[in-house]
Amino acid sequence: MNDILNGLSESQKEVVTYTEGPLLVLAGPGAGKTLVLTSKIAYILGNSINERFKILALTFTNKAAKEMRNRVEKFVGSEVHRTFIGTFHGFCYDMLISYGEHIGVGNDFTIYDNNEDLITLLEDALKIEIEKERKGENKPTVLLDKYYNADIIKNTIPSFYYAFIKLKNRLIDSEFINTDKLAENYSEDFKLIFKLYEKTLKEQNILDFSDLILKANKLFHKKFIIEHVRQIYKYIMIDEGQDTNSAQFELIKIICGDNYKNLFIVADEDQLLYEWNDAKFEYLLELCKKYDMKILQINESFRCPSKVVELANKLIENNNLRIENKKPICSGNDISDEDSFEFNEFDSQAEEAGFVKEKIVSLLADNNNDIGRDNLICVIGRNKYILDEINNKLNEANIPHFVPMLQEKIATREMNFILNLLKLISNENDKTAYFKICEFLNFNYQEVQDKNIGYSLLEGILNTIDRNKDNKIYAILYEFIQEKKKYKEYFDKLSELFFSINDVNGDNFRKDKEFINNVYDRFVKEGYYSNNLRDFLNFLALSSKNGGKGVAILTGHASKGLEFDYVFIVSLNQGIWPDYRSLKNDDESHRMLEEERRNCYVALTRTKKKLFISCSKYRITYSGQKKHDDPSQFLNEMGLI
């Protein structure tokens, strides 16, 4: 136990050794919350070697879960098997695989994590439905009159789809919006298309991301299942508790019931950035009240220099939505104020971007041009459009950089094709994968179906490839299906085939392959699920692709959870940061302004060595006009102007 507590501060030790009773820990930026959380898990496991209960630890990213699991394993070795350390979605997936049949969800479903694929699925389902109504096969509805051509469908469905996802994240499905309580709030076509979307997913045995938590919530309303879960997991630990949306919040409540004694939450309401995803300060307060949680605070920041901490404290104290009697953060970093901060005001964004580029060149030189080193330099702006000028300057100077929010999980068409083939092999009638494969091979999907009546969609693809010139692909596919080859061998063979094609973007394709290989290695190592193709595809869907090499170009939201030696915060102007939508004089805008302030607070506190803040007097609008910009009110609140 001494090894676990060694190196912890007194406030951290107090949190780790408090093991009986509901506890909320307020851990500010750089407070070592991951260290505290993992030390606490290890401390409980180490004090209960001969007991059989497990610990459930939930976080929001696979990266965080992996780091937590590795740290716990270093402390307690094989005892780590007494934990589930993962994301909310990963835990819900695990529950649905094990018990989903009790609510009509078989364990052979496939997770779709790509919005475009799901939108395409819904568009095609709507076209088929309208055609059936037109032919008199189904009773005519408002859909027949309203969605009479493909353009109307294409323009309408994406916004409907995102509305459906938002509702499902609040645990509202198509059945619920048709109740007397909600029905009058939605148009008839919206309700019909929502019902069609869920029907289509069920027919094709697909779950979208929002389904995982929604259906797990339904599952946990089965008394014998939730009692079983509570018996297994004696301790429940929630990381980043301020970011729980209503679905996750309800999930926590239903798992804990009314009298759960060992709920542990690490949170910082000053870093709540996801109100757009229904995360609310009030949810945290309700949990505190419901479980009569003791509140402890770790207010040291072992990351940020004292000057950065001073600016952050001045900024965030202007917010009202905060825990009462919260102490300001203090710095455990001994870098001098003179060396840790610089503020500049420029005439234009172009001049600002030029300064950032030159300073980055200088910083790289000071660090032996080690551009491949992680977490060295980042540039943070309120939105990606503000960062365009920075991207251009870094491109001109050939400075490697990456923009995580613009990167797809899988970047190349060829790798997406391989994965869609895997999906179709896993589910021979997966229409979305089938459409994507036909598109890649320039096949008319309707002709393929018409010529292969009585065959599955996969068999139709195989028959059509065999009649065409792409026999190398066919040979690999046929060998895999007929000889029951392992899917990893098939994946490697197809990858090698595409590497041999001259027009493949080799570098991006290589990165895609490396990412998938890494996910596969983790899938085998962690061994949560049986080693079959569908399980791997679902594991891949639940996995995230982390950044790149070089200077990180981030929005405030994307910077959360990260830290860098040198941080640039650019274009801190009124109407940009805070965003113009938060500056109206009404209650909703006041709440938005508080989130804008939290967003800026998070950006400030990514800094380990030096922070650069800047604003500009003018910017060029999209129409080419020169527009004057005032400095951000946040600069005033920090005492910089």
Side-chain angles (χ1 to χ4, degrees):
M1 291 304 100
N2 287 335
D3 288 343
I4 294 171
L5 299 178
N6 281 345
L8 298 180
S9 69
E10 289 306 309
S11 58
Q12 289 173 331
K13 286 179 185 176
E14 182 182 12
V15 169
V16 170
T17 57
Y18 186 97
T19 59
E20 296 299 326
L23 178 65
L24 170 65
V25 175
L26 302 177
K33 70 175 180 59
T34 304
L35 173 62
V36 168
L37 191 57
T38 52
S39 298
K40 190 175 184 71
I41 295 171
Y43 186 83
I44 294 169
L45 293 173
N47 279 304
S48 59
I49 296 295
N50 296 317
E51 297 188 46
R52 298 178 63 183
F53 69 80
K54 297 180 74 173
I55 295 172
L56 174 61
L58 299 178
T59 186
F60 284 85
T61 68
N62 288 287
K63 181 182 177 184
K66 181 181 178 182
E67 181 183 352
M68 287 165 59
R69 187 176 181 82
N70 288 342
R71 288 195 189 192
V72 172
E73 191 170 12
K74 284 180 182 178
F75 280 130
V76 298
S78 62
E79 283 292 293
V80 75
H81 81 276
R82 290 172 54 204
T83 66
F84 182 101
I85 302 174
T87 63
F88 279 86
H89 290 93
F91 172 66
C92 291
Y93 172 73
D94 200 60
M95 291 293 102
L96 290 170
I97 286 290
S98 300
Y99 309 110
E101 61 186 19
H102 294 288
I103 56 167
V105 178
N107 62 5
D108 57 348
F109 61 83
T110 300
I111 300 169
Y112 266 63
D113 62 330
N114 186 299
N115 291 328
E116 286 188 9
D117 287 347
L118 289 161
I119 289 168
T120 300
L121 185 77
L122 180 54
E123 287 175 350
D124 289 320
L126 181 55
K127 290 173 186 174
I128 292 169
E129 178 64 25
I130 290 168
E131 188 61 25
K132 286 181 177 179
E133 290 186 13
R134 185 175 287 117
K135 291 179 178 179
E137 295 175 18
N138 287 348
K139 183 180 177 181
T141 67
V142 66
L143 300 179
L144 183 60
D145 293 329
K146 196 164 184 178
Y147 298 93
Y148 51 84
N149 68 42
D151 286 341
I152 294 173
I153 293 173
K154 197 164 190 66
N155 291 333
T156 306
I157 291 307
S159 60
F160 273 23
Y161 164 78
Y162 288 111
F164 300 157
I165 298 301
K166 194 169 183 179
L167 285 167
K168 288 164 80 170
N169 282 336
R170 291 164 51 202
L171 304 181
I172 297 172
D173 58 16
S174 63
E175 185 178 345
F176 192 28
I177 69 165
N178 276 291
T179 60
D180 292 340
K181 184 177 179 181
L182 293 178
E184 63 182 22
N185 297 334
Y186 300 94
S187 66
E188 192 62 28
D189 58 321
F190 183 91
K191 289 184 285 188
L192 286 170
I193 294 173
F194 194 1
K195 187 175 181 180
L196 177 64
Y197 174 64
E198 295 195 323
K199 175 173 173 281
T200 304
L201 292 183
K202 186 171 184 178
E203 287 175 349
Q204 298 198 33
N205 213 9
I206 291 170
L207 298 186
D208 64 30
F209 250 52
S210 58
D211 279 323
L212 292 172
I213 295 180
L214 185 149
K215 292 186 183 298
N217 266 286
K218 288 188 175 183
L219 180 66
F220 290 155
H221 277 87
K222 300 284 184 183
K223 187 177 179 182
F224 72 97
I225 290 176
I226 195 58
E227 286 180 351
H228 180 60
V229 170
R230 290 171 188 159
Q231 188 175 15
I232 293 172
Y233 295 109
K234 184 177 177 182
Y235 293 87
I236 296 175
M237 303 190 177
I238 310 295
D239 185 26
E240 302 283 7
Q242 75 281 349
D243 290 334
T244 54
N245 63 23
S246 59
Q248 293 154 344
F249 171 70
E250 292 298 328
L251 189 76
I252 295 168
K253 287 202 304 180
I254 197 170
I255 294 174
C256 293
D258 292 328
N259 302 302
Y260 199 80
K261 299 300 182 188
N262 296 319
L263 175 62
F264 172 69
I265 299 177
V266 181
D268 182 14
E269 79 283 13
D270 291 333
Q271 297 186 74
L272 193 164
L273 302 186
Y274 301 109
E275 284 211 330
W276 55 268
N277 192 37
D278 198 41
K280 294 187 184 299
F281 173 66
E282 289 79 3
Y283 296 156
L284 197 60
L285 292 183
E286 185 178 334
L287 283 174
C288 286
K289 183 177 180 181
K290 181 176 176 64
Y291 297 105
D292 191 24
M293 301 183 80
K294 181 180 176 69
I295 299 177
L296 296 176
Q297 183 180 355
I298 306 173
N299 70 317
E300 304 103 321
S301 175
F302 301 101
R303 174 195 303 150
C304 302
S306 58
K307 179 61 179 177
V308 175
V309 167
E310 176 193 333
L311 296 173
N313 282 329
K314 284 182 178 178
L315 177 68
I316 204 63
E317 69 184 15
N318 290 277
N319 270 9
N320 294 315
L321 295 175
R322 304 183 76 202
I323 300 290
E324 287 185 17
N325 304 317
K326 188 177 184 182
K327 294 179 288 188
I329 56 174
C330 60
S331 175
N333 184 322
D334 59 3
I335 293 176
S336 71
D337 290 352
E338 183 179 342
D339 296 330
S340 66
F341 175 69
E342 183 176 328
F343 171 62
N344 293 287
E345 186 175 17
F346 299 98
D347 278 338
S348 67
Q349 287 182 327
E351 185 181 328
E352 180 183 46
F355 166 81
V356 171
K357 180 200 75 173
E358 294 300 327
K359 187 60 71 173
I360 288 174
V361 169
S362 175
L363 291 171
L364 289 174
D366 292 343
N367 287 272
N368 300 314
N369 287 307
D370 187 8
I371 195 64
R373 185 182 137 202
D374 290 337
N375 304 328
L376 181 62
I377 302 170
C378 84
V379 183
I380 304 176
R382 173 59 182 83
N383 56 57
K384 61 188 179 67
Y385 306 109
I386 290 301
L387 294 163
D388 285 345
E389 194 76 52
I390 304 290
N391 275 309
N392 293 337
K393 291 292 184 184
L394 296 184
N395 284 331
E396 290 172 10
N398 292 317
I399 296 173
H401 58 286
F402 64 98
V403 187
M405 66 273 193
L406 296 181
Q407 289 182 335
E408 296 292 335
K409 185 182 288 189
I410 304 300
T412 55
R413 290 178 67 247
E414 293 78 15
M415 188 56 75
N416 273 304
F417 170 69
I418 293 174
L419 291 178
N420 279 314
L421 282 172
L422 280 171
K423 289 177 182 177
L424 194 58
I425 290 167
S426 173
N427 176 358
E428 293 193 16
N429 288 301
D430 185 327
K431 287 185 179 178
T432 304
Y434 167 74
F435 291 143
K436 296 286 184 182
I437 291 166
C438 287
E439 182 181 23
F440 182 88
L441 295 173
N442 292 317
F443 292 168
N444 183 305
Y445 68 84
Q446 193 60 56
E447 286 182 10
V448 173
Q449 282 183 274
D450 291 344
K451 291 179 180 178
N452 291 279
I453 294 172
Y455 290 94
S456 70
L457 296 179
L458 173 62
E459 290 168 330
I461 288 289
L462 279 170
N463 292 339
T464 309
I465 292 177
D466 190 30
R467 291 195 290 265
N468 284 270
K469 60 184 179 181
D470 300 292
N471 284 319
K472 288 183 179 179
I473 294 175
Y474 173 80
I476 294 170
L477 269 170
Y478 188 83
E479 179 186 18
F480 172 72
I481 293 166
Q482 296 300 318
E483 299 183 24
K484 307 295 183 185
K485 293 283 188 181
K486 291 183 178 179
Y487 63 84
K488 187 62 169 65
E489 293 178 21
Y490 152 79
F491 170 78
D492 288 336
K493 280 192 174 184
L494 274 178
S495 298
E496 289 167 14
L497 172 63
F498 279 113
F499 265 131
S500 69
I501 300 173
N502 292 330
D503 60 352
V504 168
N505 185 332
D507 190 43
N508 284 335
F509 189 78
R510 195 173 291 107
K511 289 177 182 175
D512 282 345
K513 188 171 189 290
E514 181 182 346
F515 166 64
I516 292 171
N517 282 336
N518 288 339
V519 172
Y520 178 79
D521 290 343
R522 199 168 79 248
F523 173 73
V524 172
K525 179 184 176 184
E526 295 183 8
Y528 287 136
Y529 321 114
S530 60
N531 191 17
N532 65 47
L533 177 55
R534 182 178 280 106
D535 282 345
F536 171 69
L537 289 171
N538 287 336
F539 190 82
L540 179 63
L542 290 165
S543 299
S544 55
K545 188 174 185 179
N546 299 323
K549 294 296 182 182
V551 177
I553 310 296
L554 306 170
T555 62
H557 288 91
S559 72
K560 190 168 184 290
L562 304 176
E563 60 182 22
F564 300 86
D565 287 359
Y566 305 99
V567 174
F568 295 81
I569 299 178
V570 298
S571 296
L572 215 54
N573 289 92
Q574 197 73 347
I576 296 177
W577 207 345
D579 184 84
Y580 69 93
R581 288 166 292 190
S582 68
L583 301 177
K584 300 172 185 175
N585 190 25
D586 57 55
D587 290 342
E588 183 179 353
S589 297
H590 289 162
R591 192 170 183 115
M592 288 174 63
L593 181 60
E594 293 217 355
E595 178 151 351
E596 289 290 300
R597 194 175 282 114
R598 292 192 296 266
N599 197 349
C600 188
Y601 174 83
V602 166
L604 294 170
T605 54
R606 302 308 93 199
T607 311
K608 293 171 67 178
K609 290 186 177 179
K610 187 163 186 175
L611 172 66
F612 300 85
I613 294 179
S614 56
C615 63
S616 59
K617 295 178 181 177
Y618 300 96
R619 63 185 161 107
I620 305 300
T621 66
Y622 287 116
S623 61
Q625 295 178 317
K626 188 176 181 181
K627 181 181 181 298
H628 175 76
D629 276 332
D630 291 324
S632 169
Q633 69 182 77
F634 296 161
L635 294 172
N636 179 271
E637 293 169 3
M638 286 185 274
L640 295 177
I641 59 170

